């Protein structure tokens, strides 16, 4: 079970609008789609860009398979990642406000309504549960209007629906000059390899400290700053 949603949350994406299904059947093919004209109250900046590449982890044996990434808006909405057995997703990114992709900066005040954290709410399917609790690693990249940028790696060991919080105090500890009142870009995606699945990402929100918390899965959370080399996908 997850944390109760806040009535004052600033939504980055709740995946309730912009349904789409993208499938990559090539071992090293790339699938990319920029969705525009979405409700900015549900998707930051009204635009969502998805890029991913199917990877045959048994290369060079070329096991057949595919990876499907979908935004399913039924039942409240979720970003769904579904690989065939033996496959995962490499170079998987979801972008908001990335001008390199033709998007407008999102220009959001992350400190509105007393918010103190960026929250990812994951739903992992039962197919993901194994005797060894998996560790998922992903990148979070943030840009501000002042020109500063941050690149995090977040590690999470989960086998149940889980809420992952990135505290603003941790962001400012890494870069005191980062302007949380004018966040112009956000990218979520894979880090140093693959983002295993299947999984569902139910929402990305900016929220205040929770006042009511239900049962959360045991987890390990790690945060480090990494150097960003070159342009993001």
């Amino acid at each position: 079970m997850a944390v109760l949603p806040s009535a004052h949350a600033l939504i980055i994406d709740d995946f309730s609008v912009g349904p789409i299904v993208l499938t990559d059947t090539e071992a090293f093919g790339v699938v990319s789609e920029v969705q525009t004209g979405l409700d900015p109250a549900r998707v930051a900046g009204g635009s969502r860009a998805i890029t991913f590449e199917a990877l045959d982890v048994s290369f060079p044996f070329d096991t057949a398979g595919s990876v499907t990434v979908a935004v399913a808006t039924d039942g409240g909405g979720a970003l769904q990642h579904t690989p065939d057995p033996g496959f995962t997703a490499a170079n998987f990114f979801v972008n908001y406000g990335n001008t390199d992709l033709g998007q407008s900066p999102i220009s959001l005040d992350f400190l509105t309504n007393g918010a103190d954290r960026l929250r990812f709410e994951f739903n992992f399917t039962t197919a993901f549960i194994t005797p060894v609790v998996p560790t998922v690693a992903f990148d979070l990249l943030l840009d501000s209007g002042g020109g500063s940028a941050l690149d995090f790696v977040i590690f999470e060991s989960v086998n149940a629906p889980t809420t992952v919080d990135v505290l603003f105090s941790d962001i400012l500890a890494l870069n005191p000059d980062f302007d949380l009142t004018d966040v112009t870009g956000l990218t979520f995606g894979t880090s140093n390899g693959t983002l295993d699945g299947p999984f569902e990402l139910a929402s990305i929100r900016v929220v205040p400290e929770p006042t009511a918390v239900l049962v959360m899965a045991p987890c390990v959370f790690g945060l480090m700053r990494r150097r960003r080399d070159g342009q993001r996908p």
Side-chain angles (χ1 to χ4, degrees):
M1 302 180 69
V3 177
L4 292 176
S6 168
H8 302 291
L10 173 64
I11 297 173
I12 304 301
D13 201 338
D14 64 6
F15 305 104
S16 64
V17 297
I20 191 171
V21 177
L22 301 172
T23 299
D24 186 356
T25 58
E26 301 292 333
F28 292 100
V30 176
V31 173
S32 183
E33 185 78 19
V34 179
Q35 297 174 272
T36 59
L38 304 178
D39 182 358
R42 297 297 178 185
V43 180
S47 175
R48 175 198 300 130
I50 301 173
T51 303
F52 72 100
E53 176 184 13
L55 172 65
D56 180 0
V57 296
S58 61
F59 179 82
F61 300 105
D62 296 325
T63 302
S66 64
V67 175
T68 297
V69 175
V71 174
T73 56
D74 296 337
L79 176 72
Q80 300 173 335
H81 171 270
T82 310
D84 286 344
F87 271 70
T88 184
N91 302 321
F92 174 91
F93 289 93
V94 182
N95 298 276
Y96 307 91
N98 189 333
T99 55
D100 292 339
L101 297 175
Q103 298 174 291
S104 299
I106 53 179
S107 299
L108 295 178
D109 181 358
F110 273 20
L111 300 182
T112 187
N113 295 321
D116 71 341
R117 66 196 62 202
L118 179 66
R119 169 164 296 162
F120 294 81
E121 293 181 301
F122 284 96
N123 294 322
F124 283 87
T125 69
T126 55
F128 191 74
I129 299 175
T130 64
V132 178
V133 177
T135 298
V136 174
F138 63 88
D139 258 355
L140 169 64
L141 297 91
L142 296 173
D143 293 309
S144 77
S148 58
L150 288 174
D151 185 355
F152 298 92
V153 179
I154 299 172
F155 298 95
E156 188 72 14
S157 297
V158 296
N159 61 356
T162 299
T163 295
V164 179
D165 286 349
V166 178
L167 301 180
F168 295 160
S169 58
D170 289 335
I171 292 176
L172 295 177
L174 294 176
N175 184 353
D177 297 325
F178 190 85
D179 188 359
L180 287 165
T181 67
D182 186 18
V183 178
T184 57
L186 183 151
T187 297
F188 156 83
T190 51
S191 170
N192 295 335
T194 60
L195 183 63
D196 290 340
F199 73 86
E200 289 187 349
L201 177 61
S203 71
I204 308 172
R205 303 170 185 264
V206 175
V207 300
E209 182 179 3
T211 57
V213 180
L214 300 181
V215 178
M216 290 179 60
C219 65
V220 177
F221 176 77
L223 180 65
M224 67 179 73
R225 185 176 183 183
R226 301 174 65 247
R227 181 179 180 182
R228 184 176 64 177
D229 296 319
Q231 294 182 342
R232 70 189 66 171

